[in-house]
Amino acid sequence: MADNSSSLSLLTVLKPGGSSHIGAESKPAKTIDQMIALMSERGLVITDEAELRQVLFDCNYYRLSGYFRSFQVNPAAGDNRYRPGTRDVDFLVPYAMDEKLRNIILKGTAKVELTLRSRIAYLLASDGNAYTYMGPIGTFVVL
């Protein structure tokens, strides 16, 4: 278990089961080819290796694992084999759809944020001058 006496203890990353990564044996990094081979060895049917390779390179294995865990036999117990017939597109398509949705939402929230910021700046400046938002000695005025 992690020592919680340090203010940095909140930054300690826990492995499944709650044990700290500190002092654990090191796990060597895998190349994308090794990741694809491992997924294939675990029973994944790879329909488009180039696409899988690109997604692994762009987003990484662990982010993608959130999409393929439900297609594995029992990952919570360490059985990471894929259920029979699982294809890479079974989780790559939902991943791509989530990415598109996330981009739509971010684009929309950025527009709302810009509009609000512009309108608030305009209203504050209209009620005084360019520095109306600043109160005495650098305090902010709350509307």
Side-chain angles (χ1 to χ4, degrees):
M1 196 68 163
D3 175 11
N4 291 327
S5 62
S6 167
S7 60
L8 295 177
S9 65
L10 294 175
L11 300 177
T12 301
V13 178
L14 299 178
K15 291 188 344 185
S19 62
S20 171
H21 74 284
I22 298 171
E25 71 271 2
S26 65
K27 186 175 180 180
K30 289 186 175 16
T31 64
I32 291 176
D33 287 335
Q34 291 170 323
M35 288 182 237
I36 290 172
L38 179 63
M39 295 170 90
S40 182
E41 288 167 17
R42 291 177 173 171
L44 178 66
V45 176
I46 298 172
T47 62
D48 187 348
E49 186 174 324
E51 176 69 16
L52 181 58
R53 178 181 308 284
Q54 191 65 51
V55 172
L56 286 168
F57 189 62
D58 291 343
C59 86
N60 84 48
Y61 181 89
Y62 291 101
R63 181 177 180 108
L64 194 59
S65 72
Y67 294 86
F68 63 66
R69 286 290 185 215
S70 61
F71 295 100
Q72 292 179 314
V73 175
N74 191 357
D79 189 350
N80 294 319
R81 293 175 297 142
Y82 291 90
R83 296 179 193 282
T86 301
R87 301 170 306 146
D88 53 1
V89 293
D90 293 335
F91 54 83
L92 290 178
V93 169
Y95 173 78
M97 290 172 55
D98 277 358
E99 186 174 41
K100 287 177 184 174
L101 177 61
R102 186 171 41 256
N103 288 335
I104 290 168
I105 291 170
L106 286 173
K107 186 177 180 181
T109 56
K111 186 172 183 166
V112 169
E113 182 266 341
L114 175 60
T115 300
L116 285 173
R117 193 166 27 109
S118 296
R119 290 181 183 185
I120 289 170
Y122 176 79
L123 291 171
L124 287 171
S126 297
D127 193 36
N129 61 44
Y131 301 103
T132 301
Y133 67 94
M134 298 292 291
I137 313 172
T139 59
F140 290 97
V141 176
V142 179
L143 299 176

